[in-house]
Amino acid sequence: MAQEQTLPADAESLSDRGDAIVVTGRVQRLYRAEQTTVGKAAEDPMNIPQALQVINSDLFADQGARDATDIYRNISGVSFFSYAGVTFRGFRQDQSFYDGQRGNPFIGFSVPQLFNIERVEVLKGPSGLFFGPGSPGGIINYVSKAPADTPSLRMVATGGNYDRAGISAEATGPVDDDGIITYRLGGFYEALSPYRVNSNSKSRIADGGISIKTNEGGKLTLQATIYDNFLRANRLRGVLVDNDGNFLTSIRWNANEKTDFLHLKSQAYQARYATSIGERVTFDAGVRYFNARETQQYHEPRGLDPANPDLVRREFRDQIRPVHGLSFTTNATARVYVLGMEHKFQAGADWYDEKNVLDSRILRTGVTSLSLSNPVYGTSTTDAARAALLSFTTTDTRTKRQGAYLQDQISLTRSLLLVGGLRYDKFRDGVTTSTGNIVSSRASYQDNDVTFRTGLVYKPRPDVSAYLSWSESFEPQSAASQDANAGGPFAPVTGNQVEGGLKTQLLNGRLQANLAAYRIIRRNILQVDPSLTPINGVDQLAPIGEVTSKGFEIDLSTDITPNWVLLVNYGYNDTKITGTVAGQAITNAVGNRFANAPKHKVGFWTRYQVPAIDTAVAFGGEHVSRRISLSGQTVKPYTIFDASITKGLGFAEILLKVDNIFDKVYAASGFSAQSGHFPGEPRTFLAELRFQF
């Protein structure tokens, strides 16, 4: 049955015209998030006293997004740092969640793909209540596509410059006549020879799932995904720059040889059961296991040769990184009346165990330097064989996380909500380092912490929500820093945030605008304390670092007309070191500033549909202000634009898109003086032919 539709005030009356079709815009129809699970239970975003954004697969398709880096421009307060890492409200953040659980199959240096992702949920600020230890900037949760009740088949053929070619297909629907069992099958392949010299990539994804309706309101979903990414000469560092941020050579320059590679093979398996018990109780439980192996051989740039500023020194690295993890989670909600007020009680627990091993051997002598102006490749063909004669140094990291939380959302009145919750976490970390089976160091640490979150939501009308919240986060200190000789053990790094904001879904969802202002303080950051005498030759550490992040964000999604949509976001952030010791530096900071943390970031995208010819034109852009690299070098501001045309063909649809229209040379982020800045992509063309049945 069709969902009942309340017409906007400016909609033409239908009573005088008989039957008619009411056309709604894309923001109302496709981009609007009625619910999000970023708080572990389904909830209206208007009831959450914290800034969040939800980006769904409809926007992925409209923008031709391929991987996570393609959607950052839609998220205020988030900008690119390196590989899959981002700067989030001023802080570096590398952690991602899948369906609310730990277990990222794209370990280390591969970027999450969007082929099998239904939506991306972004919770901004400390999220310790629901997700446990993590950065106070926020979290990104990838929600997987699940089997659907409605049968459909989608096929996409892809092409473009840089030898881009690919094909994907996905099918879903019921297995039996009663729809008790539904399925989803998908496959993705894409090959590309990027603009960096010698590089090439091949990405494969196989995805499948089955859902079984077990009872009234209950469903069990089983999913499996296999990833195989082979990246030739694509374990990329940056291109060297001067202190003013100017590239010293073409952005096509690459320190890697043609024989270098990164190969990621990983699998993720998960099961999730969700049910409702009556109308007021819900319960879900999930288990997720992933197993990944990343093998890489590459040439690492080590800065300019002091004797010849045209030569970049290199070393050869041979690394194997097997990682596997297992997580469990369970959540329950109950709506009850107490003293005439409705309470939504929410409780949950999670458990995670991960083993992360790095086998690394580094060849530092006899590796040929590479010219910036006239690089000659192929002179280092024996580096891999010489490195194979070295012993691996093995770093074995074990991570265990256990946590439980409780939250109550109280409807004080029809317009006023009070939210409060707490979480208890217990963690254990251990790191063992050995070379040739001889252990050189072993450190472990365990502790626990309690975090809190509270907020007040005022809704003068259903489509307007004002809120104020206070939330906490924590991060365990690295196990290597817990050495008793260094003064350990140490309490975790803590973070807390005060945030206020306004959310709207005016004009029946045609105008969705969010405003948030925040202040985050991060404390207990370890540094060497020069006032203390070293013990057994080990410098003494002390939790004497503090960072303060302040800013505000604006997000706007609106249907200017039913055929014309506009999305705009702006983020202002000022992150500074507010506590330290003279002569000491906090990780990822230079002076009193944080690396790759822009003060200003703007993103926009607008799309106009011409129904008469079944064609849409779109235009978008991004601006990121000046930043600094980890070495204090300037990362220049940049502004880039893209455009697309989408044409319906009756039996199919074709998308033609160009990114970086004006072929601007820019740095997407800064890294170090030895490795340079990460260049942004030059002008890129993409074509997609889409079939939907």
Side-chain angles (χ1 to χ4, degrees):
M1 298 179 64
Q3 183 181 12
E4 293 185 4
Q5 175 76 39
T6 302
L7 296 181
D10 58 351
E12 183 178 353
S13 172
L14 305 181
S15 59
D16 300 329
R17 301 193 292 117
D19 294 338
I21 295 175
V22 178
V23 179
T24 57
R26 299 184 80 78
V27 164
Q28 294 169 282
R29 180 167 48 93
L30 299 179
Y31 302 156
R32 184 174 177 179
E34 301 285 351
Q35 285 187 333
T36 175
T37 56
V38 76
K40 291 296 181 81
E43 183 60 88
D44 184 342
M46 301 288 280
N47 294 338
I48 297 176
Q50 209 164 325
L52 62 93
Q53 284 183 255
V54 179
I55 303 170
N56 59 26
S57 57
D58 295 310
L59 188 55
F60 300 165
D62 279 353
Q63 296 186 339
R66 322 298 295 168
D67 59 43
T69 62
D70 293 328
I71 63 172
Y72 294 155
R73 69 171 54 183
N74 299 307
I75 308 171
S76 59
V78 170
S79 57
F80 176 70
F81 194 110
S82 64
Y83 309 107
V86 297
T87 301
F88 210 144
R89 287 190 169 178
F91 299 109
R92 184 174 183 177
Q93 203 268 76
D94 298 296
Q95 193 175 68
S96 299
F97 290 80
Y98 280 76
D99 300 302
Q101 295 183 256
R102 297 177 187 270
N104 180 10
F106 295 96
I107 60 172
F109 304 98
S110 296
V111 178
Q113 304 290 305
L114 299 176
F115 165 70
N116 60 319
I117 299 301
E118 179 62 33
R119 66 183 185 274
V120 177
E121 300 178 330
V122 182
L123 180 61
K124 302 178 181 181
S127 51
L129 179 70
F130 298 117
F131 294 94
S135 167
I139 65 99
I140 297 177
N141 180 44
Y142 295 91
V143 179
S144 304
K145 291 180 179 178
D149 294 330
T150 304
S152 69
L153 172 64
R154 173 182 167 87
M155 301 178 65
V156 179
T158 305
N161 61 339
Y162 300 112
D163 300 324
R164 183 194 295 270
I167 189 168
S168 66
E170 48 192 321
T172 188
V175 173
D176 60 314
D177 293 338
D178 296 326
I180 301 298
I181 302 176
T182 54
Y183 79 98
R184 180 181 185 277
L185 289 174
F188 172 91
Y189 170 81
E190 187 168 276
L192 178 68
S193 296
Y195 63 97
R196 300 288 291 273
V197 172
N198 295 332
S199 63
N200 178 270
S201 66
K202 291 182 174 65
S203 298
R204 303 175 182 86
I205 302 174
D207 183 56
I210 292 177
S211 290
I212 305 170
K213 295 179 180 177
T214 56
N215 57 287
E216 185 67 29
K219 181 183 289 187
L220 172 66
T221 301
L222 308 173
Q223 293 175 282
T225 309
I226 299 174
Y227 306 89
D228 190 335
N229 290 352
F230 186 84
L231 311 178
R232 190 190 73 193
N234 211 351
R235 172 60 169 86
L236 294 173
R237 293 298 195 183
V239 176
L240 273 66
V241 300
D242 61 24
N243 289 336
D244 294 324
N246 302 302
F247 287 111
L248 298 179
T249 187
S250 166
I251 61 171
R252 299 185 70 245
W253 188 89
N254 189 352
N256 287 304
E257 301 281 339
K258 275 190 176 182
T259 52
D260 293 347
F261 66 90
L262 184 153
H263 191 190
L264 171 70
K265 299 183 71 173
S266 64
Q267 306 89 39
Y269 308 95
Q270 66 180 33
R272 193 168 189 91
Y273 174 70
T275 188
S276 56
I277 305 171
E279 296 182 354
R280 293 187 167 271
V281 178
T282 65
F283 171 81
D284 68 79
V287 57
R288 178 179 176 86
Y289 171 78
F290 82 98
N291 185 8
R293 183 181 179 88
E294 188 176 70
T295 305
Q296 51 187 359
Q297 293 183 353
Y298 65 100
H299 284 80
E300 172 81 1
R302 301 301 295 168
L304 295 174
D305 187 334
N308 186 346
D310 182 56
L311 294 180
V312 177
R313 295 173 299 176
R314 297 186 298 172
E315 62 187 27
F316 180 78
R317 298 184 178 183
D318 183 0
Q319 297 177 338
I320 304 172
R321 189 189 304 269
V323 183
H324 64 83
L326 179 65
S327 66
F328 296 95
T329 184
T330 182
N331 305 278
T333 65
R335 295 181 180 271
V336 300
Y337 281 91
V338 178
L339 300 177
M341 295 181 291
E342 185 183 50
H343 293 247
K344 180 183 177 181
F345 289 107
Q346 184 176 335
D350 47 69
W351 178 93
Y352 182 64
D353 190 348
E354 179 185 286
K355 179 179 180 180
N356 187 325
V357 177
L358 172 61
D359 292 321
S360 176
R361 49 192 176 193
I362 302 176
L363 183 66
R364 294 187 169 92
T365 60
V367 181
T368 305
S369 297
L370 194 65
S371 169
L372 287 171
S373 60
N374 184 31
V376 177
Y377 297 96
T379 61
S380 300
T381 55
T382 63
D383 289 348
R386 292 193 297 125
L389 301 176
L390 304 175
S391 297
F392 276 117
T393 295
T394 300
T395 304
D396 185 339
T397 304
R398 308 294 176 95
T399 300
K400 292 187 177 182
R401 302 281 186 267
Q402 302 170 42
Y405 72 91
L406 176 66
Q407 177 179 275
D408 187 11
Q409 177 183 290
I410 309 171
S411 298
L412 300 176
T413 69
R414 296 187 63 180
S415 301
L416 195 61
L417 299 177
L418 176 63
V419 178
L422 60 86
R423 178 185 174 100
Y424 170 81
D425 277 285
K426 182 179 180 180
F427 57 89
R428 180 183 178 88
D429 294 331
V431 178
T432 301
T433 303
S434 60
T435 303
N437 295 322
I438 300 175
V439 175
S440 57
S441 67
R442 180 179 284 116
S444 64
Y445 179 64
Q446 60 181 347
D447 201 351
N448 57 76
D449 204 355
V450 177
T451 51
F452 298 89
R453 175 177 182 252
T454 185
L456 191 67
V457 179
Y458 175 61
K459 301 172 69 175
R461 43 187 287 176
D463 53 6
V464 176
S465 171
Y467 68 90
L468 182 66
S469 66
W470 181 78
S471 53
E472 289 186 316
S473 71
F474 81 96
E475 304 158 83
Q477 307 283 2
S478 68
S481 299
Q482 302 292 0
D483 187 351
N485 287 328
F490 298 100
V493 178
T494 61
N496 65 76
Q497 172 187 266
V498 176
E499 180 181 312
L502 183 69
K503 304 176 184 180
T504 70
Q505 295 181 347
L506 300 172
L507 303 177
N508 198 40
R510 278 177 52 191
L511 177 61
Q512 301 173 35
N514 301 321
L515 170 66
Y518 60 87
R519 182 174 183 264
I520 303 172
I521 299 179
R522 197 179 191 184
R523 295 188 175 96
N524 290 347
I525 301 173
L526 291 181
Q527 297 175 80
V528 174
D529 189 341
S531 67
L532 300 177
T533 302
I535 297 178
N536 296 327
V538 179
D539 289 332
Q540 296 297 283
L541 301 176
I544 47 182
E546 180 185 277
V547 180
T548 300
S549 171
K550 297 181 292 185
F552 65 90
E553 298 156 354
I554 301 172
D555 301 289
L556 174 68
S557 303
T558 182
D559 290 317
I560 300 174
T561 72
N563 293 313
W564 187 8
V565 66
L566 172 67
L567 280 67
V568 181
N569 69 82
Y570 169 73
Y572 169 82
N573 176 265
D574 185 20
T575 301
K576 290 184 178 180
I577 312 302
T578 50
T580 187
V581 175
Q584 299 300 307
I586 291 175
T587 303
N588 293 328
V590 180
N592 70 339
R593 309 295 306 184
F594 257 59
N596 286 318
K599 275 195 172 184
H600 306 277
K601 188 235 174 183
V602 181
F604 76 93
W605 185 78
T606 185
R607 185 183 193 272
Y608 186 77
Q609 180 82 24
V610 185
I613 58 174
D614 197 9
T615 300
V617 293
F619 180 68
E622 178 183 36
H623 170 77
V624 178
S625 65
R626 178 186 179 276
R627 293 156 290 164
I628 57 174
S629 73
L630 291 166
S631 300
Q633 294 177 309
T634 294
V635 184
K636 288 184 173 182
Y638 70 85
T639 304
I640 55 173
F641 301 98
D642 59 68
S644 70
I645 297 176
T646 306
K647 169 64 177 171
L649 304 175
F651 64 93
E653 177 183 79
I654 188 169
L655 167 74
L656 302 175
K657 184 184 180 186
V658 55
D659 290 322
N660 193 358
I661 296 173
F662 302 108
D663 203 20
K664 182 178 179 61
V665 175
Y666 69 99
S669 73
F671 203 64
S672 68
Q674 291 185 331
S675 300
H677 290 359
F678 290 105
E681 287 192 348
R683 185 188 296 122
T684 305
F685 298 96
L686 170 70
E688 285 190 347
L689 182 61
R690 305 163 174 169
F691 300 88
Q692 181 85 40
F693 305 97

